[in-house]
PDB file of all heavy atoms in Angstrom:
ATOM      1  N   ILE A 966      72.883   9.454  67.328  1.00 90.00           N
ATOM      2  CA  ILE A 966      72.769  10.887  67.631  1.00 90.00           C
ATOM      3  C   ILE A 966      71.938  11.469  66.526  1.00 90.00           C
ATOM      4  O   ILE A 966      72.263  11.282  65.339  1.00 90.00           O
ATOM      5  CB  ILE A 966      74.131  11.581  67.682  1.00 90.00           C
ATOM      6  CG1 ILE A 966      74.904  10.921  68.852  1.00 90.00           C
ATOM      7  CG2 ILE A 966      73.948  13.018  67.952  1.00 90.00           C
ATOM      8  CD1 ILE A 966      76.345  11.401  68.964  1.00 90.00           C
ATOM      9  N   TYR A 988      67.307  -5.275  72.074  1.00 79.00           N
ATOM     10  CA  TYR A 988      68.047  -4.013  72.212  1.00 79.00           C
ATOM     11  C   TYR A 988      68.114  -3.230  70.913  1.00 79.00           C
ATOM     12  O   TYR A 988      68.584  -3.711  69.954  1.00 79.00           O
ATOM     13  CB  TYR A 988      69.383  -4.230  72.849  1.00 79.00           C
ATOM     14  CG  TYR A 988      70.284  -3.048  73.034  1.00 79.00           C
ATOM     15  CD1 TYR A 988      69.992  -2.102  73.970  1.00 79.00           C
ATOM     16  CD2 TYR A 988      71.413  -2.837  72.231  1.00 79.00           C
ATOM     17  CE1 TYR A 988      70.753  -0.913  74.185  1.00 79.00           C
ATOM     18  CE2 TYR A 988      72.208  -1.627  72.342  1.00 79.00           C
ATOM     19  CZ  TYR A 988      71.811  -0.803  73.416  1.00 79.00           C
ATOM     20  OH  TYR A 988      72.708   0.343  73.488  1.00 79.00           O
ATOM     21  N   GLU A1007      85.145  19.693  68.167  1.00 95.00           N
ATOM     22  CA  GLU A1007      86.215  18.771  67.639  1.00 95.00           C
ATOM     23  C   GLU A1007      87.000  18.178  68.788  1.00 95.00           C
ATOM     24  O   GLU A1007      87.362  16.977  68.815  1.00 95.00           O
ATOM     25  CB  GLU A1007      87.086  19.412  66.613  1.00 95.00           C
ATOM     26  CG  GLU A1007      88.177  18.556  66.093  1.00 95.00           C
ATOM     27  CD  GLU A1007      88.987  19.214  65.073  1.00 95.00           C
ATOM     28  OE1 GLU A1007      88.789  20.414  64.764  1.00 95.00           O
ATOM     29  OE2 GLU A1007      89.970  18.634  64.554  1.00 95.00           O
ATOM     30  N   GLN A1017      86.748   5.629  73.653  1.00 94.00           N
ATOM     31  CA  GLN A1017      85.979   4.550  73.114  1.00 94.00           C
ATOM     32  C   GLN A1017      86.728   3.241  72.975  1.00 94.00           C
ATOM     33  O   GLN A1017      87.818   3.131  72.442  1.00 94.00           O
ATOM     34  CB  GLN A1017      85.397   4.971  71.753  1.00 94.00           C
ATOM     35  CG  GLN A1017      84.284   4.014  71.287  1.00 94.00           C
ATOM     36  CD  GLN A1017      83.735   4.510  69.895  1.00 94.00           C
ATOM     37  OE1 GLN A1017      84.432   5.309  69.194  1.00 94.00           O
ATOM     38  NE2 GLN A1017      82.609   4.046  69.643  1.00 94.00           N
ATOM     39  N   GLY A1018      86.154   2.224  73.662  1.00 91.00           N
ATOM     40  CA  GLY A1018      86.762   0.854  73.622  1.00 91.00           C
ATOM     41  C   GLY A1018      87.926   0.677  74.551  1.00 91.00           C
ATOM     42  O   GLY A1018      88.525  -0.406  74.588  1.00 91.00           O
ATOM     43  N   LYS A1036      92.819  20.095  83.307  1.00 97.00           N
ATOM     44  CA  LYS A1036      91.611  21.004  83.703  1.00 97.00           C
ATOM     45  C   LYS A1036      90.662  21.091  82.613  1.00 97.00           C
ATOM     46  O   LYS A1036      89.455  21.039  82.757  1.00 97.00           O
ATOM     47  CB  LYS A1036      92.093  22.405  84.203  1.00 97.00           C
ATOM     48  CG  LYS A1036      90.992  23.348  84.404  1.00 97.00           C
ATOM     49  CD  LYS A1036      90.217  23.048  85.700  1.00 97.00           C
ATOM     50  CE  LYS A1036      89.235  24.145  85.979  1.00 97.00           C
ATOM     51  NZ  LYS A1036      87.870  23.780  85.983  1.00 97.00           N
ATOM     52  N   PRO A1062      80.882   4.093  76.957  1.00 94.00           N
ATOM     53  CA  PRO A1062      80.196   2.792  77.041  1.00 94.00           C
ATOM     54  C   PRO A1062      79.746   2.331  75.614  1.00 94.00           C
ATOM     55  O   PRO A1062      79.293   1.117  75.542  1.00 94.00           O
ATOM     56  CB  PRO A1062      78.918   3.032  77.913  1.00 94.00           C
ATOM     57  CG  PRO A1062      78.641   4.463  77.604  1.00 94.00           C
ATOM     58  CD  PRO A1062      80.018   5.158  77.406  1.00 94.00           C
ATOM     59  N   THR A1064      80.111   0.969  71.847  1.00 93.00           N
ATOM     60  CA  THR A1064      81.027   0.310  70.897  1.00 93.00           C
ATOM     61  C   THR A1064      80.774   0.899  69.491  1.00 93.00           C
ATOM     62  O   THR A1064      81.748   0.878  68.606  1.00 93.00           O
ATOM     63  CB  THR A1064      80.809  -1.244  70.777  1.00 93.00           C
ATOM     64  OG1 THR A1064      79.392  -1.453  70.490  1.00 93.00           O
ATOM     65  CG2 THR A1064      81.162  -1.950  72.043  1.00 93.00           C
ATOM     66  N   ASP A1069      72.927  10.694  62.737  1.00 86.00           N
ATOM     67  CA  ASP A1069      71.907  10.799  61.724  1.00 86.00           C
ATOM     68  C   ASP A1069      71.437  12.258  61.581  1.00 86.00           C
ATOM     69  O   ASP A1069      70.730  12.745  62.457  1.00 86.00           O
ATOM     70  CB  ASP A1069      70.696   9.946  62.132  1.00 86.00           C
ATOM     71  CG  ASP A1069      69.638   9.825  61.025  1.00 86.00           C
ATOM     72  OD1 ASP A1069      69.946  10.346  59.902  1.00 86.00           O
ATOM     73  OD2 ASP A1069      68.587   9.354  61.330  1.00 86.00           O
TER      74      ASP A1069
END
Side-chain angles (χ1 to χ4, degrees):
I966 300 172
Y988 176 70
E1007 181 178 357
Q1017 192 176 21
K1036 170 72 171 119
T1064 54
D1069 187 10

